[in-house]
Short mmCIF file of all heavy atoms in Angstrom, two decimals:
data_model
loop_
_atom_site.label_atom_id
_atom_site.label_comp_id
_atom_site.label_asym_id
_atom_site.label_seq_id
_atom_site.Cartn_x
_atom_site.Cartn_y
_atom_site.Cartn_z
N LEU Q 1 0.86 -1.16 -0.01
CA LEU Q 1 0.00 0.01 -0.01
C LEU Q 1 0.88 1.22 0.00
O LEU Q 1 1.63 1.49 0.96
CB LEU Q 1 -0.93 0.02 1.23
CG LEU Q 1 -1.72 1.31 1.47
CD1 LEU Q 1 -2.70 1.55 0.34
CD2 LEU Q 1 -2.41 1.30 2.80
N ASP Q 2 0.88 1.97 -1.09
CA ASP Q 2 1.61 3.23 -1.19
C ASP Q 2 0.76 4.21 -1.96
O ASP Q 2 1.07 4.62 -3.09
CB ASP Q 2 2.95 3.00 -1.90
CG ASP Q 2 3.83 4.23 -1.95
OD1 ASP Q 2 3.53 5.18 -1.22
OD2 ASP Q 2 4.82 4.23 -2.72
N ALA Q 3 -0.37 4.57 -1.36
CA ALA Q 3 -1.38 5.42 -2.00
C ALA Q 3 -1.59 6.69 -1.18
O ALA Q 3 -1.84 6.59 0.04
CB ALA Q 3 -2.68 4.67 -2.16
N TYR Q 4 -1.47 7.82 -1.83
CA TYR Q 4 -1.67 9.09 -1.18
C TYR Q 4 -2.59 9.96 -2.03
O TYR Q 4 -2.56 9.92 -3.25
CB TYR Q 4 -0.31 9.81 -1.01
CG TYR Q 4 0.50 9.29 0.18
CD1 TYR Q 4 1.10 8.05 0.11
CD2 TYR Q 4 0.61 10.04 1.36
CE1 TYR Q 4 1.82 7.57 1.19
CE2 TYR Q 4 1.34 9.55 2.42
CZ TYR Q 4 1.92 8.31 2.35
OH TYR Q 4 2.63 7.84 3.42
N ALA Q 5 -3.40 10.77 -1.33
CA ALA Q 5 -4.24 11.77 -1.95
C ALA Q 5 -4.05 13.08 -1.19
O ALA Q 5 -4.31 13.11 0.02
CB ALA Q 5 -5.70 11.33 -1.94
N GLY Q 6 -3.58 14.09 -1.87
CA GLY Q 6 -3.28 15.32 -1.15
C GLY Q 6 -2.25 15.15 -0.08
O GLY Q 6 -2.31 15.74 0.99
N ALA Q 7 -1.26 14.29 -0.36
CA ALA Q 7 -0.13 14.02 0.55
C ALA Q 7 -0.53 13.30 1.82
O ALA Q 7 0.20 13.27 2.79
CB ALA Q 7 0.61 15.31 0.93
N ARG Q 8 -1.73 12.65 1.81
CA ARG Q 8 -2.21 11.91 2.98
C ARG Q 8 -2.69 10.52 2.54
O ARG Q 8 -3.25 10.39 1.45
CB ARG Q 8 -3.31 12.67 3.71
CG ARG Q 8 -2.91 14.06 4.13
CD ARG Q 8 -4.05 14.86 4.71
NE ARG Q 8 -4.35 14.46 6.07
CZ ARG Q 8 -5.28 15.04 6.82
NH1 ARG Q 8 -6.01 16.02 6.33
NH2 ARG Q 8 -5.49 14.61 8.04
N VAL Q 9 -2.48 9.53 3.37
CA VAL Q 9 -3.03 8.19 3.09
C VAL Q 9 -4.56 8.22 3.25
O VAL Q 9 -5.05 8.61 4.31
CB VAL Q 9 -2.44 7.16 4.04
CG1 VAL Q 9 -2.96 5.75 3.71
CG2 VAL Q 9 -0.91 7.16 4.03
N PRO Q 10 -5.31 7.83 2.23
CA PRO Q 10 -6.76 7.85 2.33
C PRO Q 10 -7.30 7.02 3.49
O PRO Q 10 -6.82 5.91 3.75
CB PRO Q 10 -7.22 7.29 1.00
CG PRO Q 10 -6.09 7.57 0.05
CD PRO Q 10 -4.85 7.39 0.90
N ALA Q 11 -8.30 7.53 4.19
CA ALA Q 11 -8.81 6.89 5.37
C ALA Q 11 -9.35 5.49 5.07
O ALA Q 11 -9.18 4.56 5.86
CB ALA Q 11 -9.95 7.73 5.97
N GLU Q 12 -9.95 5.27 3.91
CA GLU Q 12 -10.58 4.01 3.60
C GLU Q 12 -9.58 2.87 3.40
O GLU Q 12 -9.96 1.70 3.43
CB GLU Q 12 -11.52 4.11 2.42
CG GLU Q 12 -10.80 4.39 1.10
CD GLU Q 12 -10.64 5.88 0.80
OE1 GLU Q 12 -10.79 6.69 1.74
OE2 GLU Q 12 -10.39 6.21 -0.39
N LEU Q 13 -8.30 3.21 3.24
CA LEU Q 13 -7.30 2.19 2.96
C LEU Q 13 -6.54 1.71 4.22
O LEU Q 13 -5.58 0.94 4.08
CB LEU Q 13 -6.28 2.71 1.93
CG LEU Q 13 -6.87 3.05 0.55
CD1 LEU Q 13 -5.78 3.48 -0.40
CD2 LEU Q 13 -7.64 1.88 -0.05
N THR Q 14 -6.99 2.15 5.37
CA THR Q 14 -6.33 1.69 6.58
C THR Q 14 -7.31 1.12 7.62
O THR Q 14 -6.94 0.87 8.74
CB THR Q 14 -5.52 2.84 7.25
OG1 THR Q 14 -6.31 3.96 7.45
CG2 THR Q 14 -4.30 3.16 6.37
N THR Q 15 -8.57 0.92 7.21
CA THR Q 15 -9.52 0.36 8.14
C THR Q 15 -9.32 -1.14 8.31
O THR Q 15 -8.75 -1.80 7.41
CB THR Q 15 -10.98 0.56 7.65
OG1 THR Q 15 -11.19 -0.21 6.46
CG2 THR Q 15 -11.27 2.04 7.35
N VAL Q 16 -9.75 -1.69 9.41
CA VAL Q 16 -9.58 -3.12 9.61
C VAL Q 16 -10.34 -3.93 8.58
O VAL Q 16 -9.95 -5.02 8.23
CB VAL Q 16 -9.98 -3.49 11.07
CG1 VAL Q 16 -11.49 -3.33 11.27
CG2 VAL Q 16 -9.54 -4.91 11.41
N GLN Q 17 -11.44 -3.35 8.10
CA GLN Q 17 -12.22 -4.08 7.05
C GLN Q 17 -11.42 -4.19 5.75
O GLN Q 17 -11.37 -5.26 5.14
CB GLN Q 17 -13.55 -3.31 6.81
CG GLN Q 17 -14.52 -3.42 7.94
CD GLN Q 17 -14.37 -2.33 8.99
OE1 GLN Q 17 -13.41 -1.57 8.97
NE2 GLN Q 17 -15.34 -2.24 9.91
N PHE Q 18 -10.75 -3.09 5.34
CA PHE Q 18 -9.95 -3.16 4.14
C PHE Q 18 -8.75 -4.06 4.33
O PHE Q 18 -8.37 -4.87 3.45
CB PHE Q 18 -9.48 -1.79 3.72
CG PHE Q 18 -8.52 -1.78 2.53
CD1 PHE Q 18 -8.97 -2.08 1.27
CD2 PHE Q 18 -7.19 -1.53 2.72
CE1 PHE Q 18 -8.12 -2.10 0.19
CE2 PHE Q 18 -6.29 -1.55 1.64
CZ PHE Q 18 -6.76 -1.84 0.39
N LEU Q 19 -8.11 -3.99 5.51
CA LEU Q 19 -6.95 -4.82 5.77
C LEU Q 19 -7.32 -6.30 5.83
O LEU Q 19 -6.51 -7.18 5.47
CB LEU Q 19 -6.28 -4.38 7.08
CG LEU Q 19 -5.72 -2.93 7.04
CD1 LEU Q 19 -5.20 -2.58 8.43
CD2 LEU Q 19 -4.64 -2.78 5.98
N THR Q 20 -8.55 -6.59 6.23
CA THR Q 20 -9.02 -8.00 6.19
C THR Q 20 -9.11 -8.47 4.74
O THR Q 20 -8.83 -9.65 4.44
CB THR Q 20 -10.40 -8.10 6.89
OG1 THR Q 20 -10.22 -7.72 8.25
CG2 THR Q 20 -10.93 -9.53 6.81
N ASP Q 21 -9.52 -7.60 3.84
CA ASP Q 21 -9.58 -7.98 2.43
C ASP Q 21 -8.15 -8.16 1.89
O ASP Q 21 -7.92 -9.07 1.07
CB ASP Q 21 -10.31 -6.94 1.62
CG ASP Q 21 -10.99 -7.50 0.37
OD1 ASP Q 21 -11.24 -8.72 0.35
OD2 ASP Q 21 -11.25 -6.73 -0.57
N VAL Q 22 -7.20 -7.34 2.34
CA VAL Q 22 -5.82 -7.53 1.93
C VAL Q 22 -5.33 -8.90 2.41
O VAL Q 22 -4.67 -9.62 1.67
CB VAL Q 22 -4.92 -6.42 2.53
CG1 VAL Q 22 -3.44 -6.76 2.37
CG2 VAL Q 22 -5.24 -5.10 1.86
N ALA Q 23 -5.66 -9.27 3.65
CA ALA Q 23 -5.25 -10.57 4.16
C ALA Q 23 -5.82 -11.72 3.34
O ALA Q 23 -5.17 -12.74 3.17
CB ALA Q 23 -5.71 -10.70 5.63
N ARG Q 24 -7.03 -11.56 2.83
CA ARG Q 24 -7.66 -12.58 1.98
C ARG Q 24 -6.83 -12.79 0.72
O ARG Q 24 -6.66 -13.93 0.23
CB ARG Q 24 -9.07 -12.13 1.60
CG ARG Q 24 -9.78 -13.05 0.63
CD ARG Q 24 -11.08 -12.45 0.12
NE ARG Q 24 -10.90 -11.19 -0.57
CZ ARG Q 24 -10.49 -11.08 -1.84
NH1 ARG Q 24 -10.26 -12.16 -2.56
NH2 ARG Q 24 -10.37 -9.90 -2.40
N VAL Q 25 -6.25 -11.72 0.17
CA VAL Q 25 -5.50 -11.80 -1.08
C VAL Q 25 -4.13 -12.40 -0.86
O VAL Q 25 -3.55 -13.01 -1.77
CB VAL Q 25 -5.40 -10.38 -1.70
CG1 VAL Q 25 -4.46 -10.34 -2.89
CG2 VAL Q 25 -6.80 -9.89 -2.11
N LEU Q 26 -3.58 -12.26 0.34
CA LEU Q 26 -2.24 -12.74 0.61
C LEU Q 26 -2.20 -14.29 0.74
O LEU Q 26 -3.13 -14.91 1.23
CB LEU Q 26 -1.71 -12.16 1.92
CG LEU Q 26 -1.28 -10.69 1.89
CD1 LEU Q 26 -0.99 -10.23 3.31
CD2 LEU Q 26 -0.07 -10.50 0.99
N ARG Q 27 -1.10 -14.85 0.27
CA ARG Q 27 -0.84 -16.26 0.51
C ARG Q 27 -0.47 -16.45 2.00
O ARG Q 27 -0.19 -15.47 2.67
CB ARG Q 27 0.30 -16.73 -0.40
CG ARG Q 27 -0.17 -16.76 -1.87
CD ARG Q 27 0.93 -16.93 -2.87
NE ARG Q 27 0.36 -16.95 -4.21
CZ ARG Q 27 1.03 -16.77 -5.32
NH1 ARG Q 27 2.36 -16.57 -5.29
NH2 ARG Q 27 0.41 -16.79 -6.52
N PRO Q 28 -0.51 -17.68 2.51
CA PRO Q 28 -0.36 -17.89 3.94
C PRO Q 28 0.87 -17.21 4.58
O PRO Q 28 0.79 -16.70 5.69
CB PRO Q 28 -0.26 -19.43 4.07
CG PRO Q 28 -1.08 -19.91 2.92
CD PRO Q 28 -0.82 -18.94 1.79
N ASP Q 29 2.00 -17.22 3.90
CA ASP Q 29 3.19 -16.57 4.43
C ASP Q 29 3.46 -15.22 3.76
O ASP Q 29 4.58 -14.70 3.86
CB ASP Q 29 4.42 -17.47 4.24
CG ASP Q 29 4.32 -18.72 5.12
OD1 ASP Q 29 3.74 -18.61 6.22
OD2 ASP Q 29 4.80 -19.78 4.70
N GLY Q 30 2.44 -14.64 3.12
CA GLY Q 30 2.65 -13.40 2.42
C GLY Q 30 2.83 -12.20 3.31
O GLY Q 30 2.56 -12.27 4.52
N LEU Q 31 3.28 -11.10 2.74
CA LEU Q 31 3.53 -9.86 3.47
C LEU Q 31 2.64 -8.74 3.01
O LEU Q 31 2.42 -8.55 1.80
CB LEU Q 31 5.00 -9.43 3.27
CG LEU Q 31 6.15 -10.22 3.92
CD1 LEU Q 31 7.45 -9.56 3.62
CD2 LEU Q 31 5.91 -10.28 5.47
N ALA Q 32 2.15 -8.01 3.97
CA ALA Q 32 1.50 -6.71 3.69
C ALA Q 32 2.47 -5.63 4.10
O ALA Q 32 2.97 -5.63 5.23
CB ALA Q 32 0.19 -6.59 4.50
N LEU Q 33 2.73 -4.71 3.18
CA LEU Q 33 3.62 -3.59 3.43
C LEU Q 33 2.85 -2.30 3.20
O LEU Q 33 2.25 -2.09 2.13
CB LEU Q 33 4.83 -3.61 2.49
CG LEU Q 33 5.66 -4.86 2.48
CD1 LEU Q 33 6.82 -4.74 1.46
CD2 LEU Q 33 6.21 -5.18 3.84
N LEU Q 34 2.85 -1.42 4.21
CA LEU Q 34 2.09 -0.17 4.12
C LEU Q 34 3.03 1.01 4.34
O LEU Q 34 3.68 1.11 5.39
CB LEU Q 34 0.99 -0.13 5.18
CG LEU Q 34 -0.28 -0.92 4.93
CD1 LEU Q 34 -0.01 -2.42 4.98
CD2 LEU Q 34 -1.37 -0.52 5.94
N ASN Q 35 3.12 1.90 3.36
CA ASN Q 35 3.84 3.14 3.52
C ASN Q 35 2.93 4.17 4.15
O ASN Q 35 2.00 4.66 3.51
CB ASN Q 35 4.37 3.64 2.17
CG ASN Q 35 4.99 5.00 2.28
OD1 ASN Q 35 5.62 5.34 3.30
ND2 ASN Q 35 4.80 5.84 1.28
N LEU Q 36 3.21 4.47 5.41
CA LEU Q 36 2.38 5.40 6.17
C LEU Q 36 3.19 6.67 6.50
O LEU Q 36 4.41 6.69 6.36
CB LEU Q 36 1.90 4.74 7.47
CG LEU Q 36 1.21 3.38 7.31
CD1 LEU Q 36 1.01 2.74 8.67
CD2 LEU Q 36 -0.09 3.51 6.56
N ALA Q 37 2.54 7.69 6.95
CA ALA Q 37 3.22 8.92 7.38
C ALA Q 37 2.56 9.38 8.66
O ALA Q 37 1.34 9.32 8.80
CB ALA Q 37 3.12 9.98 6.30
N ASP Q 38 3.36 9.87 9.59
CA ASP Q 38 2.83 10.22 10.90
C ASP Q 38 3.65 11.30 11.58
O ASP Q 38 4.84 11.53 11.22
CB ASP Q 38 2.71 8.99 11.79
CG ASP Q 38 1.63 9.15 12.87
OD1 ASP Q 38 1.07 10.23 12.98
OD2 ASP Q 38 1.38 8.14 13.57
N GLU Q 39 3.07 11.89 12.59
CA GLU Q 39 3.72 12.88 13.41
C GLU Q 39 4.47 12.15 14.56
O GLU Q 39 4.24 10.95 14.81
CB GLU Q 39 2.68 13.79 14.03
CG GLU Q 39 1.83 14.53 13.00
CD GLU Q 39 0.60 15.18 13.61
OE1 GLU Q 39 0.07 14.59 14.57
OE2 GLU Q 39 0.20 16.22 13.10
N PRO Q 40 5.37 12.83 15.26
CA PRO Q 40 6.01 12.23 16.44
C PRO Q 40 4.93 11.71 17.39
O PRO Q 40 3.92 12.33 17.66
CB PRO Q 40 6.77 13.44 17.06
CG PRO Q 40 7.11 14.28 15.89
CD PRO Q 40 5.91 14.20 14.96
#
């Protein structure tokens, strides 16, 4: 996941519901990688 809109990660792409769909797509030992941005 490396998606930004207006220099921010869209809210709908970090919900547990979306991440559950990502897990469905992954193979058993697959990796999910998310490029996030945050404050201290």
Side-chain angles (χ1 to χ4, degrees):
L1 171 65
D2 185 14
Y4 281 72
R8 304 174 76 176
V9 182
E12 66 271 17
L13 298 183
T14 53
T15 68
V16 69
Q17 290 88 350
F18 175 72
L19 297 175
T20 298
D21 207 23
V22 169
R24 175 188 62 78
V25 171
L26 286 172
R27 291 168 181 164
D29 293 327
L31 287 181
L33 305 180
L34 283 68
N35 172 35
L36 308 171
D38 205 353
E39 301 166 328

